[in-house]
Amino acid sequence: MVPREPRSTGDNEERPLVAPPARGQLGGQAAELAGAFLMDSTALAVGVFSPDGALRFANLGMRRLLGPAGEPARLVNPSFPQLAAAGHGRGAPIHRGILHFGDLRSIAHSLRGEVWRLGDELLILGEFDVVELERVVVEVSALNSRISSLQRRLVTEQKALKRSLARLRATQSMLVHSEKMNALGKLAAGVAHEINNPLAFVRSNVHTLGEALGRLCAAYEALEEAALRGGPGDVTGVAEALRDDTDLAFLREDAGDLVKGTLGGLARVQKIVADLRTFARLDQAEVEQSDLRENLETTLAIAGPALKSGGVEVLVEWADLPKVRCKPAELSQVFLNLLINAVQAVECRGRGNGRVVIRARDDGPQVALDFEDNGAGMTDDVRGRIFDPFFTTKPVGQGTGLGLTISHKIIVDQHGGTISVRSTPGAGSTFTITLPKELER
Amino acid sequence: MVIAERNRAAAERLTSAHVEPPSFIRPEAPLGVVACGYLDALLQGDQRRALEVIREAIEASTPVKDIYVHVLHPCQYEVGRLWQLRQLSTAEEHYCTAVTQMVLSQLYPLIGNADRAGRRLVATAVDGNLHEIGARFVADFFEMAGWDTFYLGASTPAQDAIDEAVHRAADVLAVSATLDDHLASVGDLVAAARADERCRDVVVLVGGQPFGVDHDLWRQLGADGSAPTAEQAVRVAEQLLAAPR
């Protein structure tokens, strides 16, 4: 702020602001022109009033301050009653200093000026404080530019924040996906075995079918040759011989079995691939009315090989549950994370002794799922940190430390449910998930 | 020395009313009607109508950039011209500029989020220059080109501008002068930037009315480049940064 200059209060002014023109100084045309200019001026206000405030003469500036004709003049302070009571001044103004014009509804104006009592009339002379006005313009301009700069910075920062948020979301989605892939990776060996098995017998079946087809084609060619070369008796003889040679009865039965087996094997591969694809889906899972049991069974199918190879017994105790509005693909990921953790936890029991029990129950407005294992269990310290990002008890390179963080996010943030854990070191752990039956959206 | 001569020349131009420069606003120009409407509202002191004219243009899907180039830029030059011709008072000029600043504030959030160019600009009006709108135009055009911009506003002391350029790791420092009186400050700032090791790689662009009159002035003041409009300043900056230095 520019420091304010001391402002006149009226009492200690020595010289009138508008000195009465000395006789002979301004006259003739100059006085006329100056007078006319004064009449049209709005920066200077000149008015003559009766002591009760009735207007007798005013220039444009004074009329502008007084408001519409016919309404009380808007001189607020000093008021006309105050001026009427001020006496005659005896050669000096009866008021000198600030004059306030305006009313409660209009913009107030403050002018510097003076009031003279001349006979039975009041002469009011005022001028706008130009120095003050210019200072206001400068201040307001500076303020305006500061506000404008601030606003610009605010918007810039807002935009930068939006960009950061978008980057963060992209990174998060990448992390979630890589954790998914990580979980799948752990199962890759088992899944490969699952695919390899049917693949091996499909391959063998197709090989056998190929051989049979070769034999059939040869028989057909022998028949054709006999038909072209000899009579009907020859053809019958050849046909009978061929039937015995190629063992057509067996071939027919065996080919049917081979085709059936091959199709069955291909269907198994197809199912595994479909399960994997459902699981690995990158697109944001959609909300649908879903059967949790089907969901869990798909997950068990993917995890099956890993469970089998570890000799882990899986028991599912399933109550009657209604379908739940949820994001099934996301829930599959949670189930898989919990299953993988359980399988790894029961490794300490030795092959064939690990046990995972999955219990589902209807719990009023929500359903509850327990994943109970008889694994190593956790200390309180570990239990308190398992949902923290990047916290892992697995050797370096084997766990991202995101599995349970993401599970927590899916259950709590996306489904409005809860995920909690009870654990006894040496006895095992139980993860409990609750899901509201109706997903609030 | 250069500056003293220029100041004399400028004073002569200002006082010789023989040649009246032509108006910057032509109804037949692109968005000329919008520019006429906007200028008229400004000169009438009708802020509400001025904002309305811009709002209508935006609603008619006029790109923000076109409003800058064809409406705000020529109108601001026209206000300057009328002030020089003594047809506008300083207070009126302040008023028009304040309204345009308000328009800029309202348009700024609408500037598209162009792909980020990975470049950074610090823009400011030079020490003593209270007319900051030119620097702001420049900053906004760089923003439209995907730069990260830091706009310091009016009358920034040279050292503050340099410190900010260093702090923001700016590729370009753009400074504006409005009157010939500001040229000494531009020279001081360029010299200070050159003397500062931390600014070795910062491209210094200068702009504003005086540089449009004397096309070689930026070189004499030691800057890296200059451009007659904010839009061209972006191109000059990109060319300078692409060139081996």
Side-chain angles (χ1 to χ4, degrees):
Chain A
M1 285 287 281
V2 181
R4 284 173 163 278
E5 285 175 14
R7 190 170 182 164
S8 63
T9 54
D11 296 336
N12 53 0
E13 289 276 342
E14 288 179 5
R15 222 161 34 82
L17 288 167
V18 183
R23 190 171 295 275
Q25 275 188 342
L26 199 63
Q29 201 183 355
E32 264 174 47
L33 289 171
F37 191 79
L38 179 64
M39 283 306 291
D40 287 338
S41 163
T42 49
L44 293 171
V46 178
V48 178
F49 300 85
S50 64
D52 63 356
L55 179 66
R56 295 192 174 153
F57 169 89
N59 78 338
L60 181 60
M62 181 60 83
R63 284 204 302 277
R64 208 177 134 262
L65 292 169
L66 293 175
E71 287 182 21
R74 292 172 180 172
L75 179 62
V76 180
N77 187 7
S79 64
F80 282 107
Q82 283 171 332
L83 291 173
H88 283 77
R90 290 186 199 87
I94 56 171
H95 171 82
R96 185 184 287 151
I98 291 178
L99 300 162
H100 291 305
F101 289 85
D103 59 33
L104 292 175
R105 292 181 308 278
S106 65
I107 301 166
H109 298 282
S110 293
L111 283 76
R112 296 187 339 161
E114 51 194 44
V115 182
W116 294 75
R117 181 76 185 245
L118 303 174
D120 67 341
E121 287 179 329
L122 291 168
L123 171 66
I124 301 182
L125 304 168
E127 64 163 352
F128 280 101
D129 187 337
V130 178
V131 174
E132 175 76 16
L133 289 181
E134 285 180 345
R135 191 183 295 149
V136 167
V137 169
V138 169
E139 284 293 331
V140 170
S141 293
L143 206 60
N144 180 55
S145 95
R146 271 172 56 201
I147 290 172
S148 157
S149 295
L150 275 176
Q151 187 261 5
R152 192 181 187 282
R153 203 179 310 158
L154 209 65
V155 175
T156 306
E157 278 166 12
Q158 214 171 30
K159 283 182 176 177
L161 274 179
K162 267 189 195 158
R163 284 197 294 273
S164 303
L165 191 65
R167 276 204 298 275
L168 204 66
R169 286 209 172 114
T171 311
Q172 192 187 36
S173 138
M174 239 164 63
L175 264 179
V176 169
H177 189 64
S178 71
E179 170 57 25
K180 254 186 188 182
M181 293 299 109
N182 182 54
L184 275 185
K186 286 177 191 152
L187 303 171
V191 171
H193 178 74
E194 277 301 284
I195 292 178
N196 222 14
N197 226 356
L199 213 57
F201 70 74
V202 164
R203 192 185 157 88
S204 149
N205 286 359
V206 171
H207 184 74
T208 313
L209 279 172
E211 278 178 0
L213 186 66
R215 292 213 301 278
L216 271 178
C217 287
Y220 172 79
E221 277 162 13
L223 257 180
E224 191 179 48
E225 199 182 330
L228 290 174
R229 214 181 36 207
D234 291 342
V235 174
T236 311
V238 171
E240 273 168 11
L242 283 174
R243 179 182 289 274
D244 288 346
D245 274 2
T246 52
D247 198 356
L248 200 60
F250 169 75
L251 205 62
R252 181 180 289 141
E253 197 188 324
D254 191 38
D257 288 347
L258 286 174
V259 168
K260 211 168 138 189
T262 302
L263 288 177
L266 290 175
R268 268 169 65 185
V269 173
Q270 196 178 26
K271 168 97 174 41
I272 294 166
V273 171
D275 285 345
L276 285 175
R277 279 177 61 176
T278 312
F279 187 81
R281 218 162 51 186
L282 183 59
D283 51 64
Q284 290 305 303
E286 282 170 20
V287 175
E288 49 189 81
Q289 203 76 26
S290 171
D291 184 345
L292 285 183
R293 182 169 198 157
E294 251 172 43
N295 205 320
L296 185 68
E297 273 164 8
T298 311
T299 312
L300 280 172
I302 296 176
L307 298 168
K308 248 188 277 169
S309 72
V312 181
E313 183 191 6
V314 178
L315 296 171
V316 182
E317 296 172 10
W318 207 266
D320 272 346
L321 289 186
K323 286 193 172 181
V324 174
R325 273 188 72 73
C326 63
K327 298 178 171 178
E330 303 286 298
L331 288 184
S332 297
Q333 188 181 356
V334 176
F335 298 161
L336 189 63
N337 282 336
L338 294 180
L339 275 170
I340 290 174
N341 285 348
V343 168
Q344 288 173 340
V346 300
E347 267 169 15
C348 64
R349 298 277 166 210
R351 211 187 134 71
N353 298 321
R355 189 168 47 80
V356 177
V357 184
I358 302 170
R359 280 187 216 93
R361 50 181 200 280
D362 193 327
D363 202 4
Q366 58 189 18
V367 296
L369 295 165
D370 290 334
F371 288 75
E372 181 191 305
D373 67 63
N374 65 342
M378 292 175 269
T379 61
D380 283 351
D381 177 44
V382 170
R383 197 167 50 86
R385 296 168 64 193
I386 51 171
F387 294 113
D388 293 350
F390 308 111
F391 175 77
T392 179
T393 57
K394 295 167 194 169
V396 175
Q398 287 193 24
T400 59
L402 284 174
L404 285 175
T405 310
I406 291 171
S407 299
H408 185 273
K409 191 173 162 50
I410 292 171
I411 298 296
V412 178
D413 295 354
Q414 297 190 8
H415 289 85
T418 62
I419 178 167
S420 57
V421 62
R422 284 174 285 126
S423 187
T424 312
S429 308
T430 304
F431 282 82
T432 301
I433 293 172
T434 64
L435 291 168
K437 287 176 184 168
E438 273 303 319
L439 184 56
E440 280 174 28
R441 276 289 133 180
Chain B
M1 190 60 197
V2 173
I3 291 161
E5 275 168 33
R6 285 195 48 79
N7 282 348
R8 266 200 303 281
E12 211 162 280
R13 276 202 310 281
L14 279 176
T15 46
S16 69
H18 302 303
V19 188
E20 185 171 310
S23 170
F24 288 93
I25 303 296
R26 289 175 297 119
E28 70 278 11
L31 294 181
V33 175
V34 179
C36 287
Y38 181 70
L39 181 68
D40 185 57
L42 286 188
L43 298 181
Q44 299 295 323
D46 193 341
Q47 167 203 304
R48 195 192 52 76
R49 184 154 59 88
L51 292 176
E52 185 69 12
V53 167
I54 299 298
R55 198 180 58 76
E56 279 171 10
I58 291 289
E59 279 174 5
S61 305
T62 311
V64 171
K65 197 177 205 168
D66 289 358
I67 292 179
Y68 272 74
V69 173
H70 299 304
V71 181
L72 302 178
H73 185 258
C75 282
Q76 208 49 40
Y77 267 76
E78 181 62 8
V79 166
R81 188 187 74 101
L82 293 173
W83 177 84
Q84 272 198 346
L85 292 174
R86 294 182 288 271
Q87 291 177 23
L88 276 187
S89 73
T90 301
E92 284 170 317
E93 184 266 319
H94 279 332
Y95 173 82
C96 296
T97 303
V99 173
T100 297
Q101 261 176 343
M102 189 193 290
V103 170
L104 290 179
S105 300
Q106 296 192 358
L107 291 183
Y108 184 65
L110 304 180
I111 290 178
N113 276 320
D115 286 345
R116 304 320 289 168
R119 298 281 193 192
R120 299 155 85 79
L121 167 89
V122 169
T124 186
V126 82
D127 199 5
N129 184 5
L130 295 170
H131 304 76
E132 52 168 314
I133 210 155
R136 178 151 187 175
F137 263 78
V138 169
D140 285 0
F141 269 92
F142 276 83
E143 187 79 30
M144 287 182 224
W147 287 51
D148 292 329
T149 64
F150 305 92
Y151 163 70
L152 308 185
S155 187
T156 307
Q159 196 52 52
D160 290 4
I162 288 170
D163 288 346
E164 188 70 5
V166 171
H167 171 60
R168 300 293 184 184
D171 296 288
V172 172
L173 172 60
V175 292
S176 80
T178 306
L179 303 171
D180 291 30
D181 291 352
H182 304 142
L183 291 175
S185 291
V186 175
D188 291 347
L189 193 151
V190 175
R194 296 297 181 225
D196 195 321
E197 182 59 20
R198 300 171 302 163
C199 287
R200 207 180 43 209
D201 296 327
V202 179
V203 166
V204 182
L205 290 187
V206 294
Q209 188 81 309
F211 299 96
V213 178
D214 181 344
H215 297 293
D216 200 44
L217 189 57
W218 62 267
R219 214 186 297 273
Q220 296 171 43
L221 291 178
D224 292 308
S226 180
T229 65
E231 200 175 15
Q232 288 174 53
V234 180
R235 279 203 293 278
V236 169
E238 282 167 353
Q239 281 162 9
L240 284 171
L241 287 171
R245 306 176 75 209

